[in-house]
Amino acid sequence: MKPVRTFDIIPALPSAIEGLRAAAYNLRWTWDHETIELFRRLDRDLWESTGHNPVLMLGTIEQEKLESAARDDAFLAHLRRVSASLELYLEDGVTWFSRRPHPGPGKLLTAYFSAEFGLTECLSIFAGGLGILAGDHLKSSSDLGVPLVGVGLLYQQGYFRQYTNQSGWQQESYEDNDFNNLPVSPVLDIVGRPLTVGLEFPGREVRAQVWAAQAGRVPLYLLDTNITANVNAEDRMITYQLYGGDREMRIRQEIVLGIGGYRALRAIGLEPTVYHMNEGHSAFLALERIRQLMEARKLGYAEARELATASLVFTTHTPVEAGHDYFSPEQMDRYFGAFAARIGLSGREFMALGRKSPDEGEFCMTVLALRLASYSNGVSKLHGEVSRRMWQVLWPEVSVDEVPIRHITNGVHFPSWISLEMDQLYDRYLGPKWHEEPADHQVWNRVHSISAEELWRTHERRRDRMVGWVRNRVRAQRIRRGAPPSEIAAAQEVLNPDALTIGFARRFATYKRATLILRDFPRLERILTNPQMPVQLIYSGKAHPRDDAGKELIRQITGLTRQPALGRHIVFIEDYDMGVARALVQGVDVWLNTPRRPLEASGTSGMKAAANGALNLSTLDGWWDEIWTTREDALSASRFRRASDSPSSIGWAIGRGETYNSSDYQDQVEAEALYDLLERDVVPSFYDRGEDRIPRRWVERMKASIATVCPLVNTNRMVKDYTEEFYLKAHEHYLALEADGAARSRLLAAWMARVRQAWPEVRVEAVEQLSNGALLVGTSLQARARVRLGPLSPEDVRVELFEGRVDPSGELSETESIRMTPAGQDAEGVSRFEATAPCARSGKYGFTVRVRPDHPDLAAPFVPGLICWAAHR
C-alpha cells in the first residue's frame, strides 16, 4: 500500500551538540581520526552496528544518550575541537592550489565523472579499486584546494554483500540504501523542490533526481532514477544496482551518468571548464558537451567538437579487452539515432566515433573517450605502455611509443588509510608536513629517526588489535553460517598475535591469482606450521556475481580454513569493504600481491599497507613494477651505493618481470619464486631477533619502504600531477578557443577542414642524406626532404626526421623525432626541409621522414588518418 503523503523525520539534537549534524554530513570525518573518535565516544557499539554511519547513528541513538552528551563537559569540549577544525578546514583559503600561480583568465573548475565513488563503507556506491581511487581523488582535491566537483550515480542497492555457504561458495545479498539515513542530501531547485534532470530515451523521457554529498571542500553530485516521476519500472531500476543487469542496462546507466550528469551540473548552475572521465563509463558526456556547445554558441559540429575536445581528460584503468564497454550498432541507433541527427552526423559518422574501424564493429566507450579527449592516460608506467600497445589501432601511422596515452600513477589518500597509532607516530617524528606535503621525499626520510623499538611496538599493537578484530569477524561468520558450537568457540583461537601475518585482500578476479601461494600445498603447509617460525594468511575479497572461476578460488580458500591443522593459520574474511581493508592494511606484516603481468593496471592496496609499515611481496606489475625498477635504476646509477642498499630492502619482487606464453608455466615459475622468497628471506628476516625481541633488519626494511614508497604513492602527488599536466592546460586551452564567440575554435575547424581536403595531395617526394658514408660519433647527420604540399603551406605542417637504431629485423627502434625546418621551394613548387641529428653512439642507424598537420590550437599531436610517411624505396 502506497502512502498518500510522505514526510521526513530528522534527529532531535540538543542545541549544545547541534554541531554533530554538520560533522556527520561532511565526509571529512572519514579521514579525520578526532571526528571518528567523537562519534565512537557517543556510542561505541552503535558506531560499529550502524556500519560507521554517523547520520544513521544520530537517527537511531537513544535520546537520553544525546541529552547526556549535551551535559558532558568533556564531550562538549571534544565537539568544539572537531567543529572548529572542520570550520577552519573549510574556510582556510591558503591551500596548495591557491599558492600556485595560475596563468590566463578565468577560474578553473574540473568535473570528475566516475561510475563509482568509494568514500566510506556506509555509502555503498562502489565495487572496488576504481571507486576507492575516485574517492581518494576527491579527498586529496579537497585537501589541496583544487576546484573540483564529482559526478556519479546514487545506487539504490549499490554493490552486493558477500557471505559463504556451508560448502564455501560465495553467495550474494543486496540491501537497499536508505538515502535519508546516509550522509547525502537532495539538491533543491529555486522553488525548494528536489532538482531533477530529463533524458531522452526511446519513446519516453527518463528523469533523474540529483543528490549531493560533501567531501571536505568538494561536492559530489549523484543521480537517482528511482523516483515517482518515472512511471516505467525499468527506468526506476536504472540506478538500482552497480554493474547490475545486461548491456541494455549498462547503456542506460552510462547515459544517465554521462549525459544526465552533465545536465545536472548545468541545472545546478555550474559550468566546468574541464571534464575528467574516470574510465569510459561516462564518455557519453563528451557527446552531450558537443551538442550543448553547438546550441549555446551557435557552432557547427566540427567547431563544437574542437572546443569540447580542448576541455576533456580521460583516464583508462583496464588493460584487458573484455573490461571495456561495447554496444551494438542496433543499440546505438535506438538510443542515439535522433541525437546523431541533432548534431548533424549520419549514422556511419556517429558510429565511427566509437569504432576502431569506421565501417565495422561495435561502439566502444573507451574508443569514444580516446578520440575526443585532449589528454588521455593510464594509471602506472607499465599500464601506460600496455595501453599504448592496446590502442595503437586508433593511430596506426605512429609508433607505439608515440601513441598519445600518457601515464599518471595512482595513489592513495593517506589520512583515510593510516592507523591512528601510525598517524600519531608520524606527527611526532615527521611533523605536520607529512599531512601537508606527503610527496616531499625529505619529510619521509625522517622516518629513519624513529627508534626501532617505537616503530616495532606501534606495529605490534596494530597487529594484536587486528587479530582480535579478525577473531570477532570469524566468530560472527560462523554463527551466521550455522556452524557447530565447537567451531564457533574455536574462532577465538584463530591466528597468533605474534606470528608473521600475510594479507591478501582484493577483488577475486582470476588474473590476480589469489591461490598462487597454494599451488604447492605441502610446501606451503610446512611454511605455515613451522613451530619455531609460524606464518599465517588472511584473505578477503569478492568475486563478481557472474564469475564462477573467481568464486571457485574463494571456495578453495574457505575449505582450507576448516581443516583442523590449518584453521588457525588461514582465515577468510567475508564481505570485503573499506572497513575490512583498513583493518588489514593497518595490521599485517606483509602484503601479498600476485597478479599475472601485465594485467594489473596499478593496484593500490599495497600502497595503503606500505604507508602503515607493511612490506610488499609482489609480482612486478602495476605500481610495484614502477617503484621497484625506479629504485633499482637509481641504486645502479648511484656512486655512493652502500652494501646494504638494494631494491629488496623495501620489500620483495616475485620474479623479474618475465612473461611466458604458457600461463600455467608462468604460474609454476612464480609460485616457486614465491616459496623461495618466503623460506629464504621473508620468514627468517621476520624471526631474526636479538635479546630485545626486535627484528632490527625487518624494521630497517619497514623504514626504507616507508621512505621510498610514501612520497610516490599518495593521491596528493597524483592530483597535483593531474592538475598541472592536464587540468590547467586543458582549462587554458578551452578558454582560448572559447573566447570572442569561440573565434579560435571556428578558425581551427575551418583549418582542419582545409587540411583534410588537401591531405591526399601531400607526399614526400624524396629524402636524401647530405653526407655520404659512415659517420663518426660526435658528428651529425644532415638530411633533406622534398615534400609536395599541394595547396597547403609549410606553416600548416610539421615535417619530422624520424631517426633511430636499426634492430635485427630491420625496423627502427629507440627512435627520436626532430623537426625539420623549411628551406625554400624548388622550381616545381615542391617544399624543401632540412634537419641535423647528433650521432651520439655507434651502431647501425636509419631514418625516415613524416609529415603531419601542425597548428598551435591542436589539442593532440596526431590526427588519425592525417600522417604521411616517406615511401620505402
Side-chain angles (χ1 to χ4, degrees), residues 108 110 274 276 310-315 374-378 405-408 720-732:
L108 168 71
T110 296
V274 178
H276 185 169
S311 65
L312 297 174
V313 175
F314 171 58
T315 298
S374 58
Y375 298 97
S376 300
N377 71 284
I405 301 175
R406 300 160 60 180
H407 82 273
I408 291 180
K720 285 181 181 180
D721 287 349
Y722 277 111
T723 303
E724 293 178 327
E725 297 300 318
F726 294 170
Y727 297 166
L728 287 170
K729 292 177 181 178
H731 165 75
E732 192 173 357

PDB file of all heavy atoms in Angstrom, residues 108 110 274 276 310-315 374-378 405-408 720-732:
ATOM      1  N   LEU A 108      39.427  27.923 -13.000  1.00  0.00           N
ATOM      2  CA  LEU A 108      39.323  26.501 -13.277  1.00  0.00           C
ATOM      3  C   LEU A 108      38.219  25.876 -12.435  1.00  0.00           C
ATOM      4  O   LEU A 108      38.080  26.167 -11.251  1.00  0.00           O
ATOM      5  CB  LEU A 108      40.661  25.817 -12.957  1.00  0.00           C
ATOM      6  CG  LEU A 108      40.659  24.286 -12.911  1.00  0.00           C
ATOM      7  CD1 LEU A 108      40.487  23.710 -14.318  1.00  0.00           C
ATOM      8  CD2 LEU A 108      41.937  23.758 -12.277  1.00  0.00           C
ATOM      9  N   THR A 110      36.967  21.715 -12.455  1.00  0.00           N
ATOM     10  CA  THR A 110      37.023  20.401 -13.082  1.00  0.00           C
ATOM     11  C   THR A 110      35.865  19.549 -12.583  1.00  0.00           C
ATOM     12  O   THR A 110      35.614  19.477 -11.376  1.00  0.00           O
ATOM     13  CB  THR A 110      38.353  19.698 -12.761  1.00  0.00           C
ATOM     14  OG1 THR A 110      39.429  20.444 -13.322  1.00  0.00           O
ATOM     15  CG2 THR A 110      38.373  18.286 -13.341  1.00  0.00           C
ATOM     16  N   VAL A 274      36.734  22.027 -17.413  1.00  0.00           N
ATOM     17  CA  VAL A 274      37.419  20.761 -17.690  1.00  0.00           C
ATOM     18  C   VAL A 274      36.524  19.620 -17.218  1.00  0.00           C
ATOM     19  O   VAL A 274      35.921  19.703 -16.134  1.00  0.00           O
ATOM     20  CB  VAL A 274      38.789  20.696 -16.982  1.00  0.00           C
ATOM     21  CG1 VAL A 274      39.465  19.343 -17.238  1.00  0.00           C
ATOM     22  CG2 VAL A 274      39.699  21.828 -17.444  1.00  0.00           C
ATOM     23  N   HIS A 276      36.732  15.471 -16.546  1.00  0.00           N
ATOM     24  CA  HIS A 276      37.620  14.320 -16.419  1.00  0.00           C
ATOM     25  C   HIS A 276      36.775  13.057 -16.380  1.00  0.00           C
ATOM     26  O   HIS A 276      35.977  12.853 -15.446  1.00  0.00           O
ATOM     27  CB  HIS A 276      38.451  14.450 -15.136  1.00  0.00           C
ATOM     28  CG  HIS A 276      39.488  13.381 -14.976  1.00  0.00           C
ATOM     29  ND1 HIS A 276      40.474  13.451 -14.010  1.00  0.00           N
ATOM     30  CD2 HIS A 276      39.716  12.229 -15.638  1.00  0.00           C
ATOM     31  CE1 HIS A 276      41.244  12.377 -14.097  1.00  0.00           C
ATOM     32  NE2 HIS A 276      40.793  11.620 -15.083  1.00  0.00           N
ATOM     33  N   ALA A 310      39.065  20.256 -26.347  1.00  0.00           N
ATOM     34  CA  ALA A 310      40.058  21.001 -25.563  1.00  0.00           C
ATOM     35  C   ALA A 310      39.832  20.842 -24.071  1.00  0.00           C
ATOM     36  O   ALA A 310      40.776  20.955 -23.273  1.00  0.00           O
ATOM     37  CB  ALA A 310      40.013  22.480 -25.945  1.00  0.00           C
ATOM     38  N   SER A 311      38.595  20.544 -23.663  1.00  0.00           N
ATOM     39  CA  SER A 311      38.263  20.526 -22.230  1.00  0.00           C
ATOM     40  C   SER A 311      38.129  19.127 -21.659  1.00  0.00           C
ATOM     41  O   SER A 311      37.757  18.975 -20.495  1.00  0.00           O
ATOM     42  CB  SER A 311      36.949  21.278 -22.007  1.00  0.00           C
ATOM     43  OG  SER A 311      35.866  20.608 -22.636  1.00  0.00           O
ATOM     44  N   LEU A 312      38.446  18.083 -22.443  1.00  0.00           N
ATOM     45  CA  LEU A 312      38.179  16.712 -22.000  1.00  0.00           C
ATOM     46  C   LEU A 312      39.459  15.976 -21.629  1.00  0.00           C
ATOM     47  O   LEU A 312      40.447  16.007 -22.363  1.00  0.00           O
ATOM     48  CB  LEU A 312      37.454  15.938 -23.100  1.00  0.00           C
ATOM     49  CG  LEU A 312      36.063  16.457 -23.483  1.00  0.00           C
ATOM     50  CD1 LEU A 312      35.517  15.687 -24.673  1.00  0.00           C
ATOM     51  CD2 LEU A 312      35.104  16.361 -22.312  1.00  0.00           C
ATOM     52  N   VAL A 313      39.412  15.289 -20.489  1.00  0.00           N
ATOM     53  CA  VAL A 313      40.506  14.459 -19.984  1.00  0.00           C
ATOM     54  C   VAL A 313      39.950  13.053 -19.765  1.00  0.00           C
ATOM     55  O   VAL A 313      38.817  12.890 -19.280  1.00  0.00           O
ATOM     56  CB  VAL A 313      41.065  15.029 -18.662  1.00  0.00           C
ATOM     57  CG1 VAL A 313      42.114  14.101 -18.057  1.00  0.00           C
ATOM     58  CG2 VAL A 313      41.631  16.429 -18.878  1.00  0.00           C
ATOM     59  N   PHE A 314      40.752  12.038 -20.098  1.00  0.00           N
ATOM     60  CA  PHE A 314      40.277  10.660 -19.976  1.00  0.00           C
ATOM     61  C   PHE A 314      41.339   9.781 -19.330  1.00  0.00           C
ATOM     62  O   PHE A 314      42.506   9.821 -19.701  1.00  0.00           O
ATOM     63  CB  PHE A 314      39.936  10.090 -21.359  1.00  0.00           C
ATOM     64  CG  PHE A 314      39.638   8.615 -21.367  1.00  0.00           C
ATOM     65  CD1 PHE A 314      38.613   8.085 -20.595  1.00  0.00           C
ATOM     66  CD2 PHE A 314      40.394   7.741 -22.145  1.00  0.00           C
ATOM     67  CE1 PHE A 314      38.344   6.722 -20.593  1.00  0.00           C
ATOM     68  CE2 PHE A 314      40.133   6.378 -22.154  1.00  0.00           C
ATOM     69  CZ  PHE A 314      39.104   5.868 -21.370  1.00  0.00           C
ATOM     70  N   THR A 315      40.918   8.990 -18.337  1.00  0.00           N
ATOM     71  CA  THR A 315      41.792   8.017 -17.688  1.00  0.00           C
ATOM     72  C   THR A 315      41.239   6.623 -17.909  1.00  0.00           C
ATOM     73  O   THR A 315      40.079   6.351 -17.592  1.00  0.00           O
ATOM     74  CB  THR A 315      41.896   8.300 -16.177  1.00  0.00           C
ATOM     75  OG1 THR A 315      42.460   9.584 -15.971  1.00  0.00           O
ATOM     76  CG2 THR A 315      42.772   7.253 -15.497  1.00  0.00           C
ATOM     77  N   SER A 374      41.432  15.522 -25.083  1.00  0.00           N
ATOM     78  CA  SER A 374      42.712  16.152 -25.432  1.00  0.00           C
ATOM     79  C   SER A 374      43.861  15.523 -24.660  1.00  0.00           C
ATOM     80  O   SER A 374      45.012  15.569 -25.110  1.00  0.00           O
ATOM     81  CB  SER A 374      42.661  17.658 -25.141  1.00  0.00           C
ATOM     82  OG  SER A 374      42.356  17.909 -23.785  1.00  0.00           O
ATOM     83  N   TYR A 375      43.569  14.926 -23.502  1.00  0.00           N
ATOM     84  CA  TYR A 375      44.595  14.259 -22.694  1.00  0.00           C
ATOM     85  C   TYR A 375      44.063  12.900 -22.262  1.00  0.00           C
ATOM     86  O   TYR A 375      42.936  12.789 -21.764  1.00  0.00           O
ATOM     87  CB  TYR A 375      44.951  15.078 -21.454  1.00  0.00           C
ATOM     88  CG  TYR A 375      45.537  16.431 -21.755  1.00  0.00           C
ATOM     89  CD1 TYR A 375      44.738  17.574 -21.759  1.00  0.00           C
ATOM     90  CD2 TYR A 375      46.889  16.567 -22.053  1.00  0.00           C
ATOM     91  CE1 TYR A 375      45.272  18.814 -22.047  1.00  0.00           C
ATOM     92  CE2 TYR A 375      47.439  17.809 -22.342  1.00  0.00           C
ATOM     93  CZ  TYR A 375      46.630  18.925 -22.338  1.00  0.00           C
ATOM     94  OH  TYR A 375      47.177  20.159 -22.639  1.00  0.00           O
ATOM     95  N   SER A 376      44.868  11.858 -22.455  1.00  0.00           N
ATOM     96  CA  SER A 376      44.494  10.505 -22.035  1.00  0.00           C
ATOM     97  C   SER A 376      45.662   9.878 -21.296  1.00  0.00           C
ATOM     98  O   SER A 376      46.822  10.144 -21.617  1.00  0.00           O
ATOM     99  CB  SER A 376      44.124   9.643 -23.244  1.00  0.00           C
ATOM    100  OG  SER A 376      43.025  10.188 -23.947  1.00  0.00           O
ATOM    101  N   ASN A 377      45.347   9.028 -20.321  1.00  0.00           N
ATOM    102  CA  ASN A 377      46.432   8.416 -19.542  1.00  0.00           C
ATOM    103  C   ASN A 377      46.041   7.073 -18.970  1.00  0.00           C
ATOM    104  O   ASN A 377      44.865   6.793 -18.734  1.00  0.00           O
ATOM    105  CB  ASN A 377      46.856   9.345 -18.385  1.00  0.00           C
ATOM    106  CG  ASN A 377      45.815   9.437 -17.289  1.00  0.00           C
ATOM    107  OD1 ASN A 377      44.800  10.105 -17.433  1.00  0.00           O
ATOM    108  ND2 ASN A 377      46.074   8.782 -16.166  1.00  0.00           N
ATOM    109  N   GLY A 378      47.058   6.237 -18.752  1.00  0.00           N
ATOM    110  CA  GLY A 378      46.941   5.042 -17.944  1.00  0.00           C
ATOM    111  C   GLY A 378      47.318   5.376 -16.516  1.00  0.00           C
ATOM    112  O   GLY A 378      47.650   6.520 -16.193  1.00  0.00           O
ATOM    113  N   ILE A 405      48.845   8.398 -25.283  1.00  0.00           N
ATOM    114  CA  ILE A 405      48.309   7.966 -23.982  1.00  0.00           C
ATOM    115  C   ILE A 405      49.470   8.000 -23.006  1.00  0.00           C
ATOM    116  O   ILE A 405      50.425   7.241 -23.148  1.00  0.00           O
ATOM    117  CB  ILE A 405      47.702   6.553 -24.053  1.00  0.00           C
ATOM    118  CG1 ILE A 405      46.577   6.492 -25.084  1.00  0.00           C
ATOM    119  CG2 ILE A 405      47.180   6.137 -22.673  1.00  0.00           C
ATOM    120  CD1 ILE A 405      46.006   5.097 -25.285  1.00  0.00           C
ATOM    121  N   ARG A 406      49.413   8.875 -22.045  1.00  0.00           N
ATOM    122  CA  ARG A 406      50.491   9.020 -21.074  1.00  0.00           C
ATOM    123  C   ARG A 406      50.165   8.186 -19.828  1.00  0.00           C
ATOM    124  O   ARG A 406      49.257   7.366 -19.837  1.00  0.00           O
ATOM    125  CB  ARG A 406      50.670  10.506 -20.745  1.00  0.00           C
ATOM    126  CG  ARG A 406      51.029  11.324 -21.982  1.00  0.00           C
ATOM    127  CD  ARG A 406      50.736  12.795 -21.811  1.00  0.00           C
ATOM    128  NE  ARG A 406      51.478  13.378 -20.704  1.00  0.00           N
ATOM    129  CZ  ARG A 406      51.391  14.669 -20.358  1.00  0.00           C
ATOM    130  NH1 ARG A 406      50.599  15.487 -21.036  1.00  0.00           N
ATOM    131  NH2 ARG A 406      52.088  15.142 -19.350  1.00  0.00           N
ATOM    132  N   HIS A 407      50.895   8.420 -18.767  1.00  0.00           N
ATOM    133  CA  HIS A 407      50.541   7.744 -17.513  1.00  0.00           C
ATOM    134  C   HIS A 407      50.693   8.706 -16.349  1.00  0.00           C
ATOM    135  O   HIS A 407      51.589   9.557 -16.330  1.00  0.00           O
ATOM    136  CB  HIS A 407      51.404   6.498 -17.287  1.00  0.00           C
ATOM    137  CG  HIS A 407      52.758   6.786 -16.696  1.00  0.00           C
ATOM    138  ND1 HIS A 407      53.852   7.105 -17.469  1.00  0.00           N
ATOM    139  CD2 HIS A 407      53.193   6.815 -15.402  1.00  0.00           C
ATOM    140  CE1 HIS A 407      54.891   7.306 -16.692  1.00  0.00           C
ATOM    141  NE2 HIS A 407      54.525   7.136 -15.437  1.00  0.00           N
ATOM    142  N   ILE A 408      49.758   8.602 -15.427  1.00  0.00           N
ATOM    143  CA  ILE A 408      49.864   9.228 -14.104  1.00  0.00           C
ATOM    144  C   ILE A 408      49.572   8.117 -13.109  1.00  0.00           C
ATOM    145  O   ILE A 408      48.467   7.571 -13.080  1.00  0.00           O
ATOM    146  CB  ILE A 408      48.894  10.406 -13.935  1.00  0.00           C
ATOM    147  CG1 ILE A 408      49.320  11.582 -14.820  1.00  0.00           C
ATOM    148  CG2 ILE A 408      48.825  10.839 -12.464  1.00  0.00           C
ATOM    149  CD1 ILE A 408      48.415  12.803 -14.720  1.00  0.00           C
ATOM    150  N   LYS A 720      48.058  16.538  -7.887  1.00  0.00           N
ATOM    151  CA  LYS A 720      48.921  17.613  -8.393  1.00  0.00           C
ATOM    152  C   LYS A 720      49.332  17.331  -9.827  1.00  0.00           C
ATOM    153  O   LYS A 720      49.350  18.237 -10.675  1.00  0.00           O
ATOM    154  CB  LYS A 720      50.164  17.759  -7.508  1.00  0.00           C
ATOM    155  CG  LYS A 720      49.921  18.427  -6.175  1.00  0.00           C
ATOM    156  CD  LYS A 720      51.232  18.547  -5.401  1.00  0.00           C
ATOM    157  CE  LYS A 720      51.034  19.186  -4.044  1.00  0.00           C
ATOM    158  NZ  LYS A 720      52.319  19.307  -3.292  1.00  0.00           N
ATOM    159  N   ASP A 721      49.682  16.082 -10.123  1.00  0.00           N
ATOM    160  CA  ASP A 721      50.068  15.715 -11.489  1.00  0.00           C
ATOM    161  C   ASP A 721      48.920  15.969 -12.461  1.00  0.00           C
ATOM    162  O   ASP A 721      49.119  16.553 -13.538  1.00  0.00           O
ATOM    163  CB  ASP A 721      50.491  14.247 -11.554  1.00  0.00           C
ATOM    164  CG  ASP A 721      51.839  13.993 -10.920  1.00  0.00           C
ATOM    165  OD1 ASP A 721      52.556  14.971 -10.614  1.00  0.00           O
ATOM    166  OD2 ASP A 721      52.194  12.809 -10.723  1.00  0.00           O
ATOM    167  N   TYR A 722      47.724  15.520 -12.106  1.00  0.00           N
ATOM    168  CA  TYR A 722      46.579  15.762 -12.976  1.00  0.00           C
ATOM    169  C   TYR A 722      46.331  17.256 -13.165  1.00  0.00           C
ATOM    170  O   TYR A 722      46.042  17.719 -14.275  1.00  0.00           O
ATOM    171  CB  TYR A 722      45.319  15.108 -12.399  1.00  0.00           C
ATOM    172  CG  TYR A 722      45.164  13.644 -12.728  1.00  0.00           C
ATOM    173  CD1 TYR A 722      45.279  12.665 -11.737  1.00  0.00           C
ATOM    174  CD2 TYR A 722      44.890  13.229 -14.026  1.00  0.00           C
ATOM    175  CE1 TYR A 722      45.127  11.316 -12.035  1.00  0.00           C
ATOM    176  CE2 TYR A 722      44.741  11.879 -14.331  1.00  0.00           C
ATOM    177  CZ  TYR A 722      44.865  10.932 -13.333  1.00  0.00           C
ATOM    178  OH  TYR A 722      44.726   9.604 -13.645  1.00  0.00           O
ATOM    179  N   THR A 723      46.445  18.010 -12.079  1.00  0.00           N
ATOM    180  CA  THR A 723      46.163  19.436 -12.148  1.00  0.00           C
ATOM    181  C   THR A 723      47.165  20.161 -13.039  1.00  0.00           C
ATOM    182  O   THR A 723      46.787  20.965 -13.906  1.00  0.00           O
ATOM    183  CB  THR A 723      46.157  20.049 -10.739  1.00  0.00           C
ATOM    184  OG1 THR A 723      45.193  19.363  -9.924  1.00  0.00           O
ATOM    185  CG2 THR A 723      45.814  21.524 -10.779  1.00  0.00           C
ATOM    186  N   GLU A 724      48.446  19.881 -12.830  1.00  0.00           N
ATOM    187  CA  GLU A 724      49.475  20.610 -13.562  1.00  0.00           C
ATOM    188  C   GLU A 724      49.648  20.108 -14.995  1.00  0.00           C
ATOM    189  O   GLU A 724      49.903  20.907 -15.906  1.00  0.00           O
ATOM    190  CB  GLU A 724      50.800  20.513 -12.802  1.00  0.00           C
ATOM    191  CG  GLU A 724      50.759  21.245 -11.470  1.00  0.00           C
ATOM    192  CD  GLU A 724      52.053  21.122 -10.679  1.00  0.00           C
ATOM    193  OE1 GLU A 724      52.708  20.066 -10.790  1.00  0.00           O
ATOM    194  OE2 GLU A 724      52.397  22.085  -9.971  1.00  0.00           O
ATOM    195  N   GLU A 725      49.514  18.802 -15.196  1.00  0.00           N
ATOM    196  CA  GLU A 725      49.746  18.247 -16.528  1.00  0.00           C
ATOM    197  C   GLU A 725      48.499  18.280 -17.402  1.00  0.00           C
ATOM    198  O   GLU A 725      48.619  18.369 -18.630  1.00  0.00           O
ATOM    199  CB  GLU A 725      50.246  16.798 -16.401  1.00  0.00           C
ATOM    200  CG  GLU A 725      51.584  16.668 -15.697  1.00  0.00           C
ATOM    201  CD  GLU A 725      52.689  17.422 -16.425  1.00  0.00           C
ATOM    202  OE1 GLU A 725      52.732  17.363 -17.669  1.00  0.00           O
ATOM    203  OE2 GLU A 725      53.494  18.081 -15.738  1.00  0.00           O
ATOM    204  N   PHE A 726      47.321  18.222 -16.796  1.00  0.00           N
ATOM    205  CA  PHE A 726      46.097  18.122 -17.591  1.00  0.00           C
ATOM    206  C   PHE A 726      45.118  19.263 -17.327  1.00  0.00           C
ATOM    207  O   PHE A 726      44.767  19.997 -18.249  1.00  0.00           O
ATOM    208  CB  PHE A 726      45.386  16.789 -17.318  1.00  0.00           C
ATOM    209  CG  PHE A 726      46.134  15.566 -17.781  1.00  0.00           C
ATOM    210  CD1 PHE A 726      45.705  14.300 -17.403  1.00  0.00           C
ATOM    211  CD2 PHE A 726      47.265  15.652 -18.581  1.00  0.00           C
ATOM    212  CE1 PHE A 726      46.369  13.161 -17.834  1.00  0.00           C
ATOM    213  CE2 PHE A 726      47.944  14.521 -19.009  1.00  0.00           C
ATOM    214  CZ  PHE A 726      47.491  13.271 -18.627  1.00  0.00           C
ATOM    215  N   TYR A 727      44.656  19.403 -16.082  1.00  0.00           N
ATOM    216  CA  TYR A 727      43.549  20.306 -15.809  1.00  0.00           C
ATOM    217  C   TYR A 727      43.851  21.748 -16.212  1.00  0.00           C
ATOM    218  O   TYR A 727      43.068  22.385 -16.929  1.00  0.00           O
ATOM    219  CB  TYR A 727      43.164  20.273 -14.324  1.00  0.00           C
ATOM    220  CG  TYR A 727      42.657  18.956 -13.803  1.00  0.00           C
ATOM    221  CD1 TYR A 727      42.561  18.723 -12.428  1.00  0.00           C
ATOM    222  CD2 TYR A 727      42.256  17.929 -14.660  1.00  0.00           C
ATOM    223  CE1 TYR A 727      42.090  17.513 -11.931  1.00  0.00           C
ATOM    224  CE2 TYR A 727      41.798  16.714 -14.167  1.00  0.00           C
ATOM    225  CZ  TYR A 727      41.716  16.516 -12.805  1.00  0.00           C
ATOM    226  OH  TYR A 727      41.255  15.311 -12.318  1.00  0.00           O
ATOM    227  N   LEU A 728      44.965  22.286 -15.745  1.00  0.00           N
ATOM    228  CA  LEU A 728      45.263  23.690 -16.024  1.00  0.00           C
ATOM    229  C   LEU A 728      45.533  23.922 -17.509  1.00  0.00           C
ATOM    230  O   LEU A 728      45.126  24.944 -18.072  1.00  0.00           O
ATOM    231  CB  LEU A 728      46.447  24.158 -15.177  1.00  0.00           C
ATOM    232  CG  LEU A 728      46.125  24.349 -13.689  1.00  0.00           C
ATOM    233  CD1 LEU A 728      47.397  24.567 -12.890  1.00  0.00           C
ATOM    234  CD2 LEU A 728      45.165  25.521 -13.487  1.00  0.00           C
ATOM    235  N   LYS A 729      46.196  22.969 -18.155  1.00  0.00           N
ATOM    236  CA  LYS A 729      46.462  23.125 -19.586  1.00  0.00           C
ATOM    237  C   LYS A 729      45.173  23.036 -20.395  1.00  0.00           C
ATOM    238  O   LYS A 729      44.953  23.824 -21.329  1.00  0.00           O
ATOM    239  CB  LYS A 729      47.460  22.062 -20.043  1.00  0.00           C
ATOM    240  CG  LYS A 729      48.861  22.258 -19.467  1.00  0.00           C
ATOM    241  CD  LYS A 729      49.797  21.137 -19.897  1.00  0.00           C
ATOM    242  CE  LYS A 729      51.189  21.333 -19.302  1.00  0.00           C
ATOM    243  NZ  LYS A 729      52.113  20.238 -19.663  1.00  0.00           N
ATOM    244  N   ALA A 730      44.302  22.089 -20.039  1.00  0.00           N
ATOM    245  CA  ALA A 730      43.022  21.968 -20.739  1.00  0.00           C
ATOM    246  C   ALA A 730      42.160  23.207 -20.494  1.00  0.00           C
ATOM    247  O   ALA A 730      41.502  23.713 -21.416  1.00  0.00           O
ATOM    248  CB  ALA A 730      42.287  20.709 -20.283  1.00  0.00           C
ATOM    249  N   HIS A 731      42.157  23.692 -19.275  1.00  0.00           N
ATOM    250  CA  HIS A 731      41.405  24.897 -18.919  1.00  0.00           C
ATOM    251  C   HIS A 731      41.861  26.089 -19.751  1.00  0.00           C
ATOM    252  O   HIS A 731      41.037  26.808 -20.352  1.00  0.00           O
ATOM    253  CB  HIS A 731      41.600  25.169 -17.422  1.00  0.00           C
ATOM    254  CG  HIS A 731      41.195  26.532 -16.965  1.00  0.00           C
ATOM    255  ND1 HIS A 731      39.886  26.913 -16.813  1.00  0.00           N
ATOM    256  CD2 HIS A 731      41.942  27.620 -16.619  1.00  0.00           C
ATOM    257  CE1 HIS A 731      39.832  28.161 -16.389  1.00  0.00           C
ATOM    258  NE2 HIS A 731      41.062  28.612 -16.259  1.00  0.00           N
ATOM    259  N   GLU A 732      43.151  26.296 -19.816  1.00  0.00           N
ATOM    260  CA  GLU A 732      43.686  27.433 -20.557  1.00  0.00           C
ATOM    261  C   GLU A 732      43.385  27.297 -22.055  1.00  0.00           C
ATOM    262  O   GLU A 732      43.013  28.273 -22.724  1.00  0.00           O
ATOM    263  CB  GLU A 732      45.198  27.524 -20.319  1.00  0.00           C
ATOM    264  CG  GLU A 732      45.828  28.815 -20.783  1.00  0.00           C
ATOM    265  CD  GLU A 732      47.285  28.921 -20.372  1.00  0.00           C
ATOM    266  OE1 GLU A 732      47.782  28.017 -19.686  1.00  0.00           O
ATOM    267  OE2 GLU A 732      47.915  29.931 -20.750  1.00  0.00           O
TER     268      GLU A 732
END
